Amino acid sequence: MNPALRALKPPHETRTRILDAAEALFMQHGFEGTSMRLLTAQAGVNLAAVNYHFGSKDALIEAVFRRRLDPMNAERIAELDRLEKSAGAMAPAPADVIRAFLRASLLMIEDAKSGGRNFIRLLGRAYTEPSKPVRLLIGQLYAPAMERYKAAFERVLPELPRDELVWRLHFMFGTLAYTLAATDTVHLIAGCKPEDRYDAKLLEERLTAFLEAGLLAPLRGVCAVRKAA
Amino acid sequence: MNPALRALKPPHETRTRILDAAEALFMQHGFEGTSMRLLTAQAGVNLAAVNYHFGSKDALIEAVFRRRLDPMNAERIAELDRLEKSAGAMAPAPADVIRAFLRASLLMIEDAKSGGRNFIRLLGRAYTEPSKPVRLLIGQLYAPAMERYKAAFERVLPELPRDELVWRLHFMFGTLAYTLAATDTVHLIAGCKPEDRYDAKLLEERLTAFLEAGLLAPLRGVCAVRKAA
DNA sequence: GTCTATACCACGATAGAC
DNA sequence: GTCTATCGTGGTATAGAC
């Protein structure tokens, strides 16, 4: 980059440019499918800059997730804190805990311009990534928020056996991840109206109704038998 | 391959060996991450054999999905036919339609040995693949079964507005796909007992309970307002 | 401390002789 | 259906300019 341009550049701008380009390209072409050469060209930085600032491609991938996911999960936890505080000694309603959990994701999908929506899609795909290190990373990054929410749901749904709850949280997680990630598959497979796909308010209502009912569902079949035993 | 071995090989065995190896490796390393060299080595066939039998890597990918997904969806439709026949003029119970839909997938995850479980995981990832052609292909392959089930659910849930149903089917799809695909993320994130992950009977009960409740959930918030209007 | 140019080495795809 | 040579591309490392 020439000195005239450099003078205009805030410190660490290069890092940010790389992260932004990486986010967009990882979504478009996947991790394996995105070459450092394409990435650095898109970011308008030198090929060696990635290695200099992040150390390796894998480390870059991690940085991409950390940049958004850490604040996002912190926000999720804060949301739950606020909710429990306002409920006082009473347990909050299940639907409100669900909303608290969804909120951070839904806020992000409304932000198409600065890449939030793109990131959410990338994130949704990460749970099923071929690369084990990536899945491990995601698990780690989510762990604190998940622990916190698991405890909250245990309080809110005291009737539900623990292992049943774990599965239902998994289902909830899956519904959310998939809904946000498989955005074009909706209308490919089921034929929904495209304009509704990113309406956060509508999505919140739809998801909350669905998930609340699912979490509160009565036990049936072998699960009910198990519990009775 | 030498002539002595060749004589032992049934016709088209090479095709099958390639498909089997591809299925396993695509799951492990993704499509981009799987090289033809590794693939053909694993299959014990010549490097050029893929191009000879399938024409290209993309065509191989399509063949991998078609081989299992076409019969699977045919089975799904047959299951629904049987159900509706046995119900006669009455509409079947929602839970039974859900079960009919789940059955084909659940049968497959029990089959770890001949690769069914692996394929189901691969399939679950395909909805969120970077490659648009792959997502399009999956949409196409699912279309007939989806149409059929959408119609069935419309009959079974006449109260539910169409566009709401479309979303709930999307949620249902997501729950299933993710649950089966993100098999290790379950215990990474939520900490479930590993031995329960592939118990098809348990999974069927758990999924059916969750999904039935979700599909039958009352409308709320803006959706309810919309309907009233 | 930050950025650039360039070199290195491994690997994957492809095509043409057999 | 097979073998092999070739070429492009991948991620990474380094040396030196600012």
Side-chain angles (χ1 to χ4, degrees), chain A residues 15 18 36 47-61 63:
Chain A
R15 270 186 74 96
I18 291 174
M36 301 309 259
L47 170 59
V50 171
N51 224 273
Y52 175 75
H53 284 284
F54 300 94
S56 71
K57 189 179 182 178
D58 284 346
L60 170 61
I61 293 173

Short mmCIF file of all heavy atoms in Angstrom, two decimals, chain A residues 15 18 36 47-61 63, chain D residues 11-14:
data_model
loop_
_atom_site.label_atom_id
_atom_site.label_comp_id
_atom_site.label_asym_id
_atom_site.label_seq_id
_atom_site.Cartn_x
_atom_site.Cartn_y
_atom_site.Cartn_z
N ARG A 15 -5.99 -5.28 9.96
CA ARG A 15 -6.63 -6.41 10.65
C ARG A 15 -8.12 -6.47 10.34
O ARG A 15 -8.67 -7.52 10.01
CB ARG A 15 -6.47 -6.26 12.17
CG ARG A 15 -5.25 -6.90 12.77
CD ARG A 15 -5.32 -6.79 14.28
NE ARG A 15 -6.29 -7.71 14.85
CZ ARG A 15 -5.97 -8.91 15.33
NH1 ARG A 15 -4.71 -9.30 15.32
NH2 ARG A 15 -6.89 -9.71 15.81
N ILE A 18 -8.98 -7.41 6.81
CA ILE A 18 -8.81 -8.85 6.60
C ILE A 18 -9.99 -9.62 7.20
O ILE A 18 -10.57 -10.50 6.56
CB ILE A 18 -7.49 -9.34 7.24
CG1 ILE A 18 -6.30 -8.78 6.46
CG2 ILE A 18 -7.44 -10.86 7.26
CD1 ILE A 18 -4.95 -9.08 7.10
N MET A 36 -5.88 -17.73 0.50
CA MET A 36 -5.32 -16.52 1.09
C MET A 36 -5.06 -15.46 0.03
O MET A 36 -5.10 -14.27 0.29
CB MET A 36 -4.00 -16.85 1.80
CG MET A 36 -4.16 -17.87 2.89
SD MET A 36 -5.47 -17.45 4.01
CE MET A 36 -4.51 -16.81 5.34
N LEU A 47 -0.38 -10.17 0.63
CA LEU A 47 -0.56 -11.60 0.93
C LEU A 47 -0.01 -11.99 2.29
O LEU A 47 -0.59 -12.80 3.01
CB LEU A 47 0.14 -12.42 -0.17
CG LEU A 47 0.28 -13.93 0.06
CD1 LEU A 47 -1.07 -14.60 0.23
CD2 LEU A 47 1.03 -14.58 -1.09
N ALA A 48 1.13 -11.40 2.64
CA ALA A 48 1.78 -11.80 3.89
C ALA A 48 1.11 -11.23 5.13
O ALA A 48 1.42 -11.62 6.26
CB ALA A 48 3.24 -11.39 3.86
N ALA A 49 0.17 -10.31 4.93
CA ALA A 49 -0.43 -9.62 6.07
C ALA A 49 -1.19 -10.56 7.00
O ALA A 49 -1.20 -10.39 8.22
CB ALA A 49 -1.35 -8.51 5.58
N VAL A 50 -1.82 -11.57 6.39
CA VAL A 50 -2.57 -12.51 7.22
C VAL A 50 -1.63 -13.22 8.18
O VAL A 50 -1.90 -13.33 9.38
CB VAL A 50 -3.31 -13.54 6.35
CG1 VAL A 50 -3.90 -14.65 7.22
CG2 VAL A 50 -4.41 -12.88 5.55
N ASN A 51 -0.53 -13.69 7.61
CA ASN A 51 0.42 -14.39 8.46
C ASN A 51 0.99 -13.47 9.53
O ASN A 51 1.19 -13.87 10.67
CB ASN A 51 1.54 -14.96 7.59
CG ASN A 51 1.87 -16.37 8.00
OD1 ASN A 51 2.67 -16.58 8.88
ND2 ASN A 51 1.18 -17.34 7.40
N TYR A 52 1.22 -12.26 9.15
CA TYR A 52 1.79 -11.32 10.12
C TYR A 52 0.81 -11.04 11.26
O TYR A 52 1.17 -11.09 12.43
CB TYR A 52 2.16 -10.01 9.43
CG TYR A 52 2.64 -8.98 10.40
CD1 TYR A 52 3.92 -9.06 10.96
CD2 TYR A 52 1.82 -7.93 10.80
CE1 TYR A 52 4.35 -8.14 11.89
CE2 TYR A 52 2.25 -6.99 11.72
CZ TYR A 52 3.52 -7.10 12.26
OH TYR A 52 3.94 -6.19 13.17
N HIS A 53 -0.43 -10.77 10.93
CA HIS A 53 -1.38 -10.35 11.96
C HIS A 53 -2.02 -11.51 12.72
O HIS A 53 -2.41 -11.36 13.87
CB HIS A 53 -2.48 -9.49 11.35
CG HIS A 53 -2.05 -8.10 11.02
ND1 HIS A 53 -1.89 -7.14 11.99
CD2 HIS A 53 -1.73 -7.51 9.86
CE1 HIS A 53 -1.49 -6.01 11.42
NE2 HIS A 53 -1.38 -6.20 10.13
N PHE A 54 -2.16 -12.64 12.05
CA PHE A 54 -2.89 -13.74 12.69
C PHE A 54 -2.05 -15.01 12.87
O PHE A 54 -2.39 -15.84 13.70
CB PHE A 54 -4.16 -14.06 11.92
CG PHE A 54 -5.11 -12.90 11.82
CD1 PHE A 54 -5.08 -12.05 10.72
CD2 PHE A 54 -6.00 -12.62 12.84
CE1 PHE A 54 -5.94 -10.97 10.63
CE2 PHE A 54 -6.87 -11.55 12.77
CZ PHE A 54 -6.83 -10.70 11.66
N GLY A 55 -1.02 -15.16 12.08
CA GLY A 55 -0.15 -16.31 12.25
C GLY A 55 -0.42 -17.44 11.28
O GLY A 55 0.50 -18.10 10.82
N SER A 56 -1.69 -17.69 10.98
CA SER A 56 -2.04 -18.77 10.05
C SER A 56 -3.50 -18.63 9.64
O SER A 56 -4.25 -17.84 10.22
CB SER A 56 -1.84 -20.13 10.70
OG SER A 56 -2.83 -20.33 11.68
N LYS A 57 -3.88 -19.41 8.68
CA LYS A 57 -5.27 -19.38 8.23
C LYS A 57 -6.19 -19.85 9.35
O LYS A 57 -7.25 -19.25 9.58
CB LYS A 57 -5.42 -20.28 7.00
CG LYS A 57 -6.78 -20.16 6.32
CD LYS A 57 -6.84 -21.06 5.10
CE LYS A 57 -8.17 -20.91 4.38
NZ LYS A 57 -8.23 -21.74 3.15
N ASP A 58 -5.82 -20.91 10.03
CA ASP A 58 -6.65 -21.41 11.12
C ASP A 58 -6.86 -20.36 12.20
O ASP A 58 -7.96 -20.20 12.73
CB ASP A 58 -6.02 -22.67 11.73
CG ASP A 58 -6.23 -23.88 10.84
OD1 ASP A 58 -7.08 -23.80 9.93
OD2 ASP A 58 -5.55 -24.90 11.05
N ALA A 59 -5.79 -19.67 12.53
CA ALA A 59 -5.89 -18.64 13.55
C ALA A 59 -6.81 -17.50 13.08
O ALA A 59 -7.53 -16.90 13.87
CB ALA A 59 -4.52 -18.10 13.91
N LEU A 60 -6.76 -17.24 11.78
CA LEU A 60 -7.65 -16.23 11.22
C LEU A 60 -9.12 -16.65 11.37
O LEU A 60 -9.98 -15.86 11.77
CB LEU A 60 -7.33 -15.99 9.74
CG LEU A 60 -8.33 -15.13 8.97
CD1 LEU A 60 -8.45 -13.73 9.57
CD2 LEU A 60 -7.96 -15.05 7.49
N ILE A 61 -9.39 -17.90 11.07
CA ILE A 61 -10.75 -18.42 11.22
C ILE A 61 -11.23 -18.21 12.66
O ILE A 61 -12.32 -17.72 12.90
CB ILE A 61 -10.80 -19.92 10.84
CG1 ILE A 61 -10.52 -20.09 9.34
CG2 ILE A 61 -12.15 -20.52 11.21
CD1 ILE A 61 -10.38 -21.54 8.90
N ALA A 63 -10.20 -16.05 14.80
CA ALA A 63 -10.39 -14.61 15.06
C ALA A 63 -11.71 -14.11 14.49
O ALA A 63 -12.40 -13.29 15.09
CB ALA A 63 -9.22 -13.82 14.49
P DG D 11 -4.85 -21.07 0.65
OP1 DG D 11 -6.07 -21.10 1.46
OP2 DG D 11 -4.43 -19.82 -0.01
"O5'" DG D 11 -3.63 -21.58 1.53
"C5'" DG D 11 -3.81 -22.71 2.39
"C4'" DG D 11 -2.52 -22.98 3.13
"O4'" DG D 11 -1.43 -22.99 2.19
"C3'" DG D 11 -2.17 -21.91 4.18
"O3'" DG D 11 -1.67 -22.54 5.36
"C2'" DG D 11 -1.11 -21.07 3.48
"C1'" DG D 11 -0.42 -22.07 2.56
N9 DG D 11 0.10 -21.42 1.35
C8 DG D 11 -0.59 -20.63 0.47
N7 DG D 11 0.14 -20.18 -0.51
C5 DG D 11 1.40 -20.69 -0.25
C6 DG D 11 2.62 -20.52 -0.98
O6 DG D 11 2.82 -19.87 -2.00
N1 DG D 11 3.66 -21.22 -0.37
C2 DG D 11 3.55 -21.97 0.77
N2 DG D 11 4.66 -22.57 1.20
N3 DG D 11 2.42 -22.13 1.45
C4 DG D 11 1.39 -21.46 0.88
P DT D 12 -1.31 -21.68 6.61
OP1 DT D 12 -1.47 -22.55 7.78
OP2 DT D 12 -2.02 -20.39 6.55
"O5'" DT D 12 0.23 -21.43 6.38
"C5'" DT D 12 1.11 -22.55 6.30
"C4'" DT D 12 2.51 -22.08 5.98
"O4'" DT D 12 2.54 -21.44 4.68
"C3'" DT D 12 3.07 -21.04 6.96
"O3'" DT D 12 4.19 -21.64 7.61
"C2'" DT D 12 3.48 -19.86 6.09
"C1'" DT D 12 3.57 -20.48 4.70
N1 DT D 12 3.35 -19.55 3.56
C2 DT D 12 4.38 -19.28 2.69
O2 DT D 12 5.50 -19.75 2.80
N3 DT D 12 4.07 -18.41 1.68
C4 DT D 12 2.86 -17.80 1.45
O4 DT D 12 2.70 -17.03 0.50
C5 DT D 12 1.82 -18.12 2.40
C7 DT D 12 0.45 -17.51 2.26
C6 DT D 12 2.10 -18.97 3.41
P DA D 13 5.01 -20.82 8.68
OP1 DA D 13 5.46 -21.81 9.68
OP2 DA D 13 4.18 -19.67 9.08
"O5'" DA D 13 6.27 -20.28 7.89
"C5'" DA D 13 7.08 -21.19 7.14
"C4'" DA D 13 8.28 -20.44 6.58
"O4'" DA D 13 7.85 -19.65 5.44
"C3'" DA D 13 8.92 -19.46 7.56
"O3'" DA D 13 10.33 -19.62 7.51
"C2'" DA D 13 8.48 -18.08 7.09
"C1'" DA D 13 8.25 -18.31 5.58
N9 DA D 13 7.18 -17.49 5.01
C8 DA D 13 5.91 -17.34 5.51
N7 DA D 13 5.14 -16.55 4.79
C5 DA D 13 5.97 -16.15 3.75
C6 DA D 13 5.76 -15.31 2.63
N6 DA D 13 4.59 -14.69 2.40
N1 DA D 13 6.79 -15.12 1.78
C2 DA D 13 7.95 -15.74 2.03
N3 DA D 13 8.27 -16.55 3.03
C4 DA D 13 7.22 -16.72 3.86
P DT D 14 11.30 -18.79 8.50
OP1 DT D 14 12.36 -19.74 8.88
OP2 DT D 14 10.48 -18.13 9.52
"O5'" DT D 14 11.93 -17.67 7.56
"C5'" DT D 14 12.40 -18.04 6.25
"C4'" DT D 14 12.80 -16.79 5.48
"O4'" DT D 14 11.63 -16.17 4.89
"C3'" DT D 14 13.45 -15.69 6.33
"O3'" DT D 14 14.52 -15.13 5.58
"C2'" DT D 14 12.34 -14.67 6.50
"C1'" DT D 14 11.69 -14.78 5.14
N1 DT D 14 10.31 -14.23 5.05
C2 DT D 14 9.96 -13.49 3.94
O2 DT D 14 10.72 -13.27 3.03
N3 DT D 14 8.66 -13.03 3.95
C4 DT D 14 7.72 -13.22 4.94
O4 DT D 14 6.59 -12.76 4.84
C5 DT D 14 8.15 -13.99 6.07
C7 DT D 14 7.22 -14.26 7.21
C6 DT D 14 9.41 -14.46 6.08
#
